[in-house]
Amino acid sequence: MARVDGYNPKKKRGREEEEYPVRRRQRARAAIGTLLRVATSEWEEVNKSLESAHRRLRGFDVADMLRRRRAGRRLRKPRGRSLDIAHGKLKRLVLLHHAAGDGLWDYGAHHGLPWQEEDEGGDAAARWRAWKQRGDVSDRHADDALLRVRAALRDLTEAVRILHAVSTKPPGFRGPRAVWAAVADRLVRGATDEVAAAQGAVGRMRRAVVLEFFAAWDVLTAMG
């Protein structure tokens, strides 16, 4: 009769302890792959969306819209859907970048790198600090891009509200209509500028992530 080995928790714990370093390194390598995606395919999707939103906003003319409305045509409001799509893709880009950072942080923390002073830890700790600095720069540009896009969404929402209210007023409302139309136009132009600024911030983020990618590889190389 074959002997059945009983469950040995110590043996299982020993296997898990042996596997943890391998898993952490695999997760760190996956995180580096995510950084590459952030700097290439994912970034390209965000940039295309921002370009589309900027092109649509730049082509919108408040005065022309009101003239068409007075002529009995349908109110053409500035479209926010393309900007909403860009916002969603940008949020995904930022979340992917954060996920990559978490994976690399876990790997470094396992080796005690985050808590070593500048004169400690040797080459690995120095490379870790370089990666962390690169990541902080990427985060700042990502936050800037998000703030810009959200500001553009707020401006655009307010402009649409004003245009809807102004376009439904009677002909005797011409004086105030011109004033509010000018306000709406400034809001649309402001949203356009914010989207352009977001594009610039995303471009700077990409360059920072490329440097972060190579710095992360340096950390793994130093750890052997």
PDB file of all heavy atoms in Angstrom, residues 38-50:
ATOM      1  N   VAL A  38       3.702  52.367 -21.297  1.00  0.00           N
ATOM      2  CA  VAL A  38       3.302  53.741 -20.975  1.00  0.00           C
ATOM      3  C   VAL A  38       3.993  54.737 -21.899  1.00  0.00           C
ATOM      4  O   VAL A  38       3.393  55.732 -22.327  1.00  0.00           O
ATOM      5  CB  VAL A  38       3.618  54.054 -19.494  1.00  0.00           C
ATOM      6  CG1 VAL A  38       3.492  55.552 -19.208  1.00  0.00           C
ATOM      7  CG2 VAL A  38       2.683  53.272 -18.579  1.00  0.00           C
ATOM      8  N   ALA A  39       5.242  54.459 -22.231  1.00  0.00           N
ATOM      9  CA  ALA A  39       6.020  55.389 -23.059  1.00  0.00           C
ATOM     10  C   ALA A  39       5.793  55.193 -24.555  1.00  0.00           C
ATOM     11  O   ALA A  39       6.243  56.026 -25.350  1.00  0.00           O
ATOM     12  CB  ALA A  39       7.508  55.238 -22.752  1.00  0.00           C
ATOM     13  N   THR A  40       5.092  54.126 -24.940  1.00  0.00           N
ATOM     14  CA  THR A  40       4.910  53.854 -26.377  1.00  0.00           C
ATOM     15  C   THR A  40       3.425  53.781 -26.738  1.00  0.00           C
ATOM     16  O   THR A  40       2.799  54.805 -27.004  1.00  0.00           O
ATOM     17  CB  THR A  40       5.641  52.556 -26.768  1.00  0.00           C
ATOM     18  OG1 THR A  40       5.213  51.479 -25.906  1.00  0.00           O
ATOM     19  CG2 THR A  40       7.151  52.722 -26.636  1.00  0.00           C
ATOM     20  N   SER A  41       2.863  52.590 -26.751  1.00  0.00           N
ATOM     21  CA  SER A  41       1.500  52.411 -27.271  1.00  0.00           C
ATOM     22  C   SER A  41       0.449  53.155 -26.454  1.00  0.00           C
ATOM     23  O   SER A  41      -0.452  53.795 -27.026  1.00  0.00           O
ATOM     24  CB  SER A  41       1.154  50.919 -27.329  1.00  0.00           C
ATOM     25  OG  SER A  41       1.249  50.326 -26.048  1.00  0.00           O
ATOM     26  N   GLU A  42       0.541  53.085 -25.132  1.00  0.00           N
ATOM     27  CA  GLU A  42      -0.462  53.760 -24.303  1.00  0.00           C
ATOM     28  C   GLU A  42      -0.357  55.278 -24.461  1.00  0.00           C
ATOM     29  O   GLU A  42      -1.370  55.983 -24.524  1.00  0.00           O
ATOM     30  CB  GLU A  42      -0.281  53.366 -22.832  1.00  0.00           C
ATOM     31  CG  GLU A  42      -0.512  51.895 -22.538  1.00  0.00           C
ATOM     32  CD  GLU A  42      -1.970  51.491 -22.659  1.00  0.00           C
ATOM     33  OE1 GLU A  42      -2.843  52.381 -22.616  1.00  0.00           O
ATOM     34  OE2 GLU A  42      -2.239  50.281 -22.801  1.00  0.00           O
ATOM     35  N   TRP A  43       0.862  55.776 -24.509  1.00  0.00           N
ATOM     36  CA  TRP A  43       1.058  57.218 -24.690  1.00  0.00           C
ATOM     37  C   TRP A  43       0.511  57.675 -26.038  1.00  0.00           C
ATOM     38  O   TRP A  43      -0.109  58.739 -26.138  1.00  0.00           O
ATOM     39  CB  TRP A  43       2.540  57.562 -24.592  1.00  0.00           C
ATOM     40  CG  TRP A  43       2.797  59.015 -24.847  1.00  0.00           C
ATOM     41  CD1 TRP A  43       2.749  60.036 -23.942  1.00  0.00           C
ATOM     42  CD2 TRP A  43       3.094  59.631 -26.109  1.00  0.00           C
ATOM     43  NE1 TRP A  43       3.003  61.237 -24.547  1.00  0.00           N
ATOM     44  CE2 TRP A  43       3.218  61.021 -25.878  1.00  0.00           C
ATOM     45  CE3 TRP A  43       3.270  59.142 -27.396  1.00  0.00           C
ATOM     46  CZ2 TRP A  43       3.512  61.918 -26.905  1.00  0.00           C
ATOM     47  CZ3 TRP A  43       3.559  60.035 -28.417  1.00  0.00           C
ATOM     48  CH2 TRP A  43       3.680  61.407 -28.171  1.00  0.00           C
ATOM     49  N   GLU A  44       0.750  56.890 -27.068  1.00  0.00           N
ATOM     50  CA  GLU A  44       0.275  57.259 -28.403  1.00  0.00           C
ATOM     51  C   GLU A  44      -1.248  57.381 -28.431  1.00  0.00           C
ATOM     52  O   GLU A  44      -1.795  58.281 -29.083  1.00  0.00           O
ATOM     53  CB  GLU A  44       0.750  56.228 -29.425  1.00  0.00           C
ATOM     54  CG  GLU A  44       2.251  56.317 -29.712  1.00  0.00           C
ATOM     55  CD  GLU A  44       2.753  55.157 -30.551  1.00  0.00           C
ATOM     56  OE1 GLU A  44       1.919  54.286 -30.896  1.00  0.00           O
ATOM     57  OE2 GLU A  44       3.955  55.119 -30.848  1.00  0.00           O
ATOM     58  N   GLU A  45      -1.938  56.481 -27.726  1.00  0.00           N
ATOM     59  CA  GLU A  45      -3.400  56.553 -27.666  1.00  0.00           C
ATOM     60  C   GLU A  45      -3.856  57.849 -27.001  1.00  0.00           C
ATOM     61  O   GLU A  45      -4.789  58.512 -27.463  1.00  0.00           O
ATOM     62  CB  GLU A  45      -3.948  55.348 -26.898  1.00  0.00           C
ATOM     63  CG  GLU A  45      -3.918  54.050 -27.676  1.00  0.00           C
ATOM     64  CD  GLU A  45      -4.853  54.080 -28.870  1.00  0.00           C
ATOM     65  OE1 GLU A  45      -5.985  54.579 -28.723  1.00  0.00           O
ATOM     66  OE2 GLU A  45      -4.451  53.624 -29.948  1.00  0.00           O
ATOM     67  N   VAL A  46      -3.209  58.197 -25.907  1.00  0.00           N
ATOM     68  CA  VAL A  46      -3.568  59.434 -25.201  1.00  0.00           C
ATOM     69  C   VAL A  46      -3.284  60.647 -26.074  1.00  0.00           C
ATOM     70  O   VAL A  46      -4.109  61.569 -26.182  1.00  0.00           O
ATOM     71  CB  VAL A  46      -2.792  59.532 -23.870  1.00  0.00           C
ATOM     72  CG1 VAL A  46      -3.008  60.905 -23.219  1.00  0.00           C
ATOM     73  CG2 VAL A  46      -3.228  58.433 -22.916  1.00  0.00           C
ATOM     74  N   ASN A  47      -2.137  60.657 -26.703  1.00  0.00           N
ATOM     75  CA  ASN A  47      -1.762  61.809 -27.521  1.00  0.00           C
ATOM     76  C   ASN A  47      -2.725  61.999 -28.694  1.00  0.00           C
ATOM     77  O   ASN A  47      -3.121  63.129 -29.014  1.00  0.00           O
ATOM     78  CB  ASN A  47      -0.335  61.628 -28.042  1.00  0.00           C
ATOM     79  CG  ASN A  47       0.230  62.905 -28.625  1.00  0.00           C
ATOM     80  OD1 ASN A  47       0.223  63.952 -27.986  1.00  0.00           O
ATOM     81  ND2 ASN A  47       0.713  62.827 -29.855  1.00  0.00           N
ATOM     82  N   LYS A  48      -3.122  60.897 -29.328  1.00  0.00           N
ATOM     83  CA  LYS A  48      -4.088  60.990 -30.431  1.00  0.00           C
ATOM     84  C   LYS A  48      -5.422  61.553 -29.945  1.00  0.00           C
ATOM     85  O   LYS A  48      -6.047  62.374 -30.627  1.00  0.00           O
ATOM     86  CB  LYS A  48      -4.303  59.609 -31.057  1.00  0.00           C
ATOM     87  CG  LYS A  48      -3.145  59.117 -31.905  1.00  0.00           C
ATOM     88  CD  LYS A  48      -3.438  57.725 -32.450  1.00  0.00           C
ATOM     89  CE  LYS A  48      -2.268  57.187 -33.257  1.00  0.00           C
ATOM     90  NZ  LYS A  48      -2.521  55.793 -33.728  1.00  0.00           N
ATOM     91  N   SER A  49      -5.857  61.109 -28.779  1.00  0.00           N
ATOM     92  CA  SER A  49      -7.130  61.591 -28.234  1.00  0.00           C
ATOM     93  C   SER A  49      -7.066  63.081 -27.919  1.00  0.00           C
ATOM     94  O   SER A  49      -8.015  63.829 -28.183  1.00  0.00           O
ATOM     95  CB  SER A  49      -7.487  60.811 -26.964  1.00  0.00           C
ATOM     96  OG  SER A  49      -7.745  59.460 -27.262  1.00  0.00           O
ATOM     97  N   LEU A  50      -5.952  63.514 -27.349  1.00  0.00           N
ATOM     98  CA  LEU A  50      -5.801  64.937 -27.044  1.00  0.00           C
ATOM     99  C   LEU A  50      -5.731  65.768 -28.320  1.00  0.00           C
ATOM    100  O   LEU A  50      -6.294  66.872 -28.386  1.00  0.00           O
ATOM    101  CB  LEU A  50      -4.547  65.161 -26.196  1.00  0.00           C
ATOM    102  CG  LEU A  50      -4.625  64.680 -24.744  1.00  0.00           C
ATOM    103  CD1 LEU A  50      -3.267  64.794 -24.073  1.00  0.00           C
ATOM    104  CD2 LEU A  50      -5.670  65.480 -23.962  1.00  0.00           C
TER     105      LEU A  50
END
